[in-house]
Every structure is written in structure tokens, then in C-alpha cells.
Amino acid sequence: MSRSAATTTLITVAPTGAESAKADVPQLPTTLDELVETAVRCERAGASMIHLHIRDGEHRPTLDGGLLRASVEAIRGSTDLIVQLSTGGSVHDPLEQRLTVLDAEPDSCSLTCGTTNFGDEVFLNPWPFMVELYRQSIEREVVPEFELFDLGHVHALRRLLAEEGLPFGGRAHVDLVTGVPGGMPGTPAALLAAVALLPEEVTSWSATGIGRTHLPILATALGAGGHLRVGMEDNLVFAKGQPVRRNDELVTRAADIATTLQRPPMTTTEARELLNIKRRNAS
Ligand code: KMH
Ligand code: ZN
């Protein structure tokens, strides 16, 4: 299957991330109730996928298997969003534990195609880890989203697809993450260079701009036929002097801009078809 021109927009919301502290950002959704409420609001606003990091009782990032499973089930029980679990976790999570995320049976999982400097830290994704995670995602029928933070990651994805074949479901969806200090910059030129180098197996791509790069990247992605990821994982400022109060504000703005550009938000059903997501029953 090849990439066809997008007439609608897949909007992914990344509501929490692993980097911001609840003490600094009290409006960050960190409890299960807050996550479910966020998911419901964001679906209503036009999101069709949620990229999920979870927190423990003290609002610290965790990869606890029971909490992950409970979060997947709760969001599945309240929305039709595609539930994508982060396998990136926080920069402090061990690789072995990051592989256990798939035990929670998400619809999708992130799969970052290389190591990157991440501010003052290192986000580790060695080749053998990528391959192992990819093989497990195929075995468990989970659709990966390839997260590419740098041009080198685009090349690593090419190698992964050439050596290991297509993902479960036969589609290859990418998110180009720009503007991380240490990765490719959040500029139209960098984004378009990465898009130009995507392997032909890639059937759809979205883009993320961290911090103040989120709007130029959003506009560039829409203009170039890409999809969008927004949310408080990536950006905490709605406009100058105006913090983001809720994730759905970002989804609503993205949906409005996409609609103005004649690329209205996809329904969850359309997004499931685009990524060929396996139907799993809500419990
Ligand atoms: N929190 C970052 C270290 C992912 O979710 O897969 C990694 C990250 C990517 O957010
Ligand atoms: Zn993430």
C-alpha cells in the first residue's frame, strides 16, 4: 500500500508525557479519572488516537503493568480512541521494562527508531531493542507508530522495514517529533527534509513540534499532507502568556485549523481503517 493524499486529518493527543511535574503543572492529567475525562473531551474535540504515558499515586511516571492495563481498559471503556501506549517511558526507564508495556494489550505502541540526546539526558533506543520491540509488536498484533526524532532515525526505519518487513496490519505510520533539544529542529525545513526521506513503505505520517515550534510544525504538516499530534506532553503554552488549561483546547485548535484547510478531523473509525487497527473489545 502506498501513501495517498490525505483529505482528512488524524489528530493524536499526547496528554501527559513523562517530563512535566504535577507540582509545576497542576492541570496536567495524571490520575486515571483525569486521563479518562481528558480522553473523552479530546475525542469530542476531534482526536482519534491517544498517546499515553501514565503516572503513579504520587504523579511520577511509571510503567507499572497493572496501572497500564487499567488505563487502557478505562479509556477503551469510555471512548473509541485508538489507545497507543508509550514504550519510550521516561529517560530513566530500563529497556527491559519498556518491553513489558505490550503486556497491557494496547491498540498501538510508540517505537522510536534511534537514540537521541534529550535535553541534558539521553533517550536510549539501541538497534537490538528496536528490533525486539518491533518483533514483539508484530507477534502481539499491536500497530507501532515509528517515532523519528532525527534524520538518522528515518534511515534506521528504512533498515528496520527492509530487514524485518511490514508492521502488524501492513501499514507503516510515522510521527516526526521535532524540536526536542538534541533532535531535529522544529522548523519547516527540517520537517520537510525528513518527509522527503521517508521510505516508500510509509503509508501515513504525522508531526509534532515541541514547545513553541508546535504551531509552525502543525501548519507545515497540514500543508504537506501530514497528520497531527498535539498535547501537553509536547507543549504547555497555548499562546503568549496563556498556559494550556486542558488538552482539548489544543485538539480543538488543531481541528479548527485542519478544517479551515479542508482537512477536517478523521473519525475514530476512519483512523482505525487508516492504521488497520485490530478491534479489541472494551471490558
Ligand atoms: N519521554 C521521552 C523520553 C515515547 O513516548 O515513545 C520519550 C517519549 C517517546 O515520550
Ligand atoms: Zn511519549
Side-chain angles (χ1 to χ4, degrees):
M1 204 174 170
S2 61
R3 224 177 304 158
S4 49
T7 54
T8 51
T9 304
L10 168 72
I11 301 179
T12 299
V13 63
T16 307
E19 281 70 42
S20 296
K22 183 82 162 176
D24 299 332
V25 190
Q27 70 275 34
L28 192 73
T30 52
T31 68
L32 189 51
D33 285 350
E34 287 168 349
L35 280 174
V36 170
E37 191 202 341
T38 298
V40 169
R41 282 180 181 275
C42 289
E43 182 181 31
R44 254 184 236 142
S48 43
M49 179 147 77
I50 185 164
H51 167 87
L52 202 61
H53 292 250
I54 63 162
R55 303 291 176 102
D56 65 14
E58 258 115 56
H59 311 284
R60 292 175 306 213
T62 178
L63 294 178
D64 178 88
L67 288 177
L68 281 172
R69 189 175 278 276
S71 307
V72 171
E73 286 177 1
I75 292 173
R76 225 176 245 154
S78 308
T79 72
D80 191 43
L81 292 172
I82 297 169
V83 183
Q84 177 184 97
L85 285 182
S86 165
T87 64
S90 92
V91 288
H92 308 294
D93 289 322
L95 297 176
E96 311 75 57
Q97 208 188 353
R98 287 167 51 194
L99 287 173
T100 66
V101 164
L102 298 187
D103 294 344
E105 297 184 45
D107 301 308
S108 171
C109 67
S110 58
L111 193 165
T112 297
C113 291
T115 294
T116 191
N117 282 329
F118 199 89
D120 294 347
E121 314 276 359
V122 176
F123 177 32
L124 204 60
N125 295 283
W127 176 256
F129 170 76
M130 283 170 53
V131 172
E132 182 57 29
L133 177 56
Y134 190 48
R135 288 183 181 166
Q136 289 200 23
S137 72
I138 293 171
E139 229 172 81
R140 289 155 179 256
E141 306 187 332
V142 174
V143 173
E145 174 182 272
F146 302 104
E147 296 210 354
L148 309 180
F149 289 65
D150 221 330
L151 284 190
H153 296 190
V154 182
H155 202 62
L157 171 62
R158 186 180 291 277
R159 178 182 169 199
L160 189 69
L161 293 170
E163 292 186 9
E164 301 289 328
L166 288 174
F168 169 71
R171 313 286 163 79
H173 178 69
V174 161
D175 185 47
L176 294 154
V177 186
T178 69
V180 168
M184 64 181 142
T187 60
L191 177 63
L192 295 175
V195 170
L197 291 175
L198 288 175
E200 64 185 17
E201 292 94 331
V202 170
T203 45
S204 56
W205 62 273
S206 63
T208 305
I210 301 297
R212 66 177 59 205
T213 71
H214 71 286
L215 281 173
I217 288 298
L218 179 152
T220 306
L222 284 172
H227 300 278
L228 305 176
R229 175 175 125 173
V230 296
M232 294 174 74
E233 171 167 346
D234 304 325
N235 162 45
L236 295 166
V237 179
F238 189 81
K240 199 168 181 198
Q242 197 183 329
V244 176
R245 288 170 305 178
R246 291 192 322 262
N247 278 281
D248 57 286
E249 295 174 336
L250 294 168
V251 175
T252 298
R253 178 166 63 182
D256 287 347
I257 298 172
T259 301
T260 301
L261 295 181
Q262 306 298 298
R263 292 266 317 276
M266 262 178 209
T267 64
T268 52
T269 305
E270 290 166 334
R272 286 171 183 280
E273 278 166 16
L274 177 76
L275 306 185
N276 209 3
I277 300 285
K278 171 179 164 167
R279 272 279 168 199
R280 289 172 164 87
N281 295 330
S283 54

